[in-house]
């Protein structure tokens, strides 16, 4: 499927926005919101925004086939809501670039799920690319550099790897429902809505009230912006990209996410990447792009 130069910017912008998640998480955490509250408020705002758009454009988009309900719940709870909870833990324990790369490794775990659930071929080339991507993660982690291993968070690494696995569940459930004819807007709305309900026990509304009361304008901006920039808009942009190009091209261009996260970490938090980290990001992007190229 040929894509215009303008349409190529869609998945790139989506990747940059997803790469900014760590920025919002750290700012909101500094404002007194805990992990569950950050994710729950993001998903509530996202479901309201996307739901309002669907009400205006096409109310039939809310309908879900009965056979898709169990799959939708698994994708919403495991692959969306609690995946973000785990991802935020990784963000608070690792640099932004490594956190973003680890969630990007969902492409590797998707190979295994694709083999089990959809009978997809697991070729030697895909396995080799997966091994190269994992080596890139080692470079980004900094554990090969003198003195870095002692201060490295292995717990953060574990949570980052778990994030990628959970996001692979998101990809598998999304693919299954797409094969049944469900629209991207329908899937994402119910991911946000069901996910937010599952997170209500972890949401502390007293924290939200205190946060907003301290500076109503700025606080409201951050709460709404995290939903728009980290959830609604990137999903919309990526869905638009898929309508104009093949999945492999869109997914490859979206891989600017870890590079964007590295830039955000450098500019906003003084996370200066070493040469090995920069090489590691390039290695991971190249390896995963080859995986998508073979699909």
């Amino acid at each position: 499927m040929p894509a215009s130069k303008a349409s190529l910017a869609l998945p790139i912008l989506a990747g940059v926005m997803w790469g900014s998640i760590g920025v919002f998480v750290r700012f909101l955490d500094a404002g007194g919101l805990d992990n569950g509250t950050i994710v729950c408020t993001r998903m509530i705002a996202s479901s309201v925004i996307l739901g309002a758009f669907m009400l205006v454009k096409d109310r039939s988009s809310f309908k879900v086939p009965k056979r898709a309900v169990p799959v939708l719940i698994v994708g919403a709870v495991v692959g969306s809501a609690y995946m973000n909870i785990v991802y935020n833990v990784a963000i608070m324990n690792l640099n932004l670039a490594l956190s973003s790369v680890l969630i990007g490794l969902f492409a590797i775990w998707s190979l295994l799920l694709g083999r089990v659930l959809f009978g997809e071929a697991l070729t030697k080339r895909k396995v080799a690319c997966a091994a190269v991507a994992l080596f890139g993660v080692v470079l980004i982690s900094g554990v090969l550099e003198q003195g870095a291993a002692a201060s490295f968070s292995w717990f953060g690494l574990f949570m980052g790897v778990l994030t990628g696995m959970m996001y692979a569940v998101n990809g598998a459930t999304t693919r299954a429902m797409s094969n049944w004819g469900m629209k991207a807007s329908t899937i994402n709305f119910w991911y946000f809505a069901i996910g937010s309900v599952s997170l209500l026990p972890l949401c502390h509304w007293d924290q939200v009230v205190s946060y907003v009361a301290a500076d109503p304008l700025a606080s409201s901006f951050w709460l709404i912006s995290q939903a728009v920039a980290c959830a609604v808009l990137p999903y919309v942009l990526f869905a638009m990209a898929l309508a104009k190009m093949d999945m492999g091209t869109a997914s490859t261009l979206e891989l600017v996410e870890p590079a964007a996260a590295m830039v955000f970490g450098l500019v906003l938090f003084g996370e200066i990447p070493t040469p090995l980290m920069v090489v590691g990001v390039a290695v991971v992007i190249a390896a995963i792009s080859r995986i998508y190229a073979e699909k």
Side-chain angles (χ1 to χ4, degrees), residues 200-246:
L200 286 177
L202 302 182
C203 187
H204 296 90
W205 293 104
D206 57 322
Q207 294 180 3
V208 178
V209 172
S210 298
Y211 177 65
V212 174
D215 190 341
L217 186 60
S219 300
S220 299
F221 168 79
W222 281 107
L223 289 172
I224 295 173
S225 294
Q226 73 152 340
V228 174
C230 301
V232 178
L233 198 51
Y235 279 117
V236 169
L237 290 173
F238 196 72
M240 291 172 60
L242 292 178
K244 299 177 181 294
M245 65 191 73
D246 59 81

Side-chain angles (χ1 to χ4, degrees), residues 50-102:
L50 186 55
F53 173 78
M54 291 164 62
L55 277 174
V56 173
K57 186 177 181 181
D58 183 9
R59 295 187 179 185
S60 65
S61 296
F62 290 101
K63 295 180 180 179
V64 176
K66 288 184 179 179
R67 65 174 176 173
V69 172
V71 178
L72 186 58
I73 293 174
V74 171
V77 177
V78 178
S80 186
Y82 285 85
M83 179 275 293
N84 276 286
I85 291 289
V86 175
Y87 185 42
N88 286 0
V89 175
I91 287 172
M92 299 307 294
N93 285 275
L94 302 171
N95 63 61
L96 295 189
L98 180 55
S99 301
S100 181
V101 164
L102 290 173

Side-chain angles (χ1 to χ4, degrees), residues 263-278:
V263 172
F264 287 131
L266 171 64
V267 174
L268 298 176
F269 304 107
E271 297 177 353
I272 302 175
T274 65
L276 276 184
M277 290 179 181
V278 175

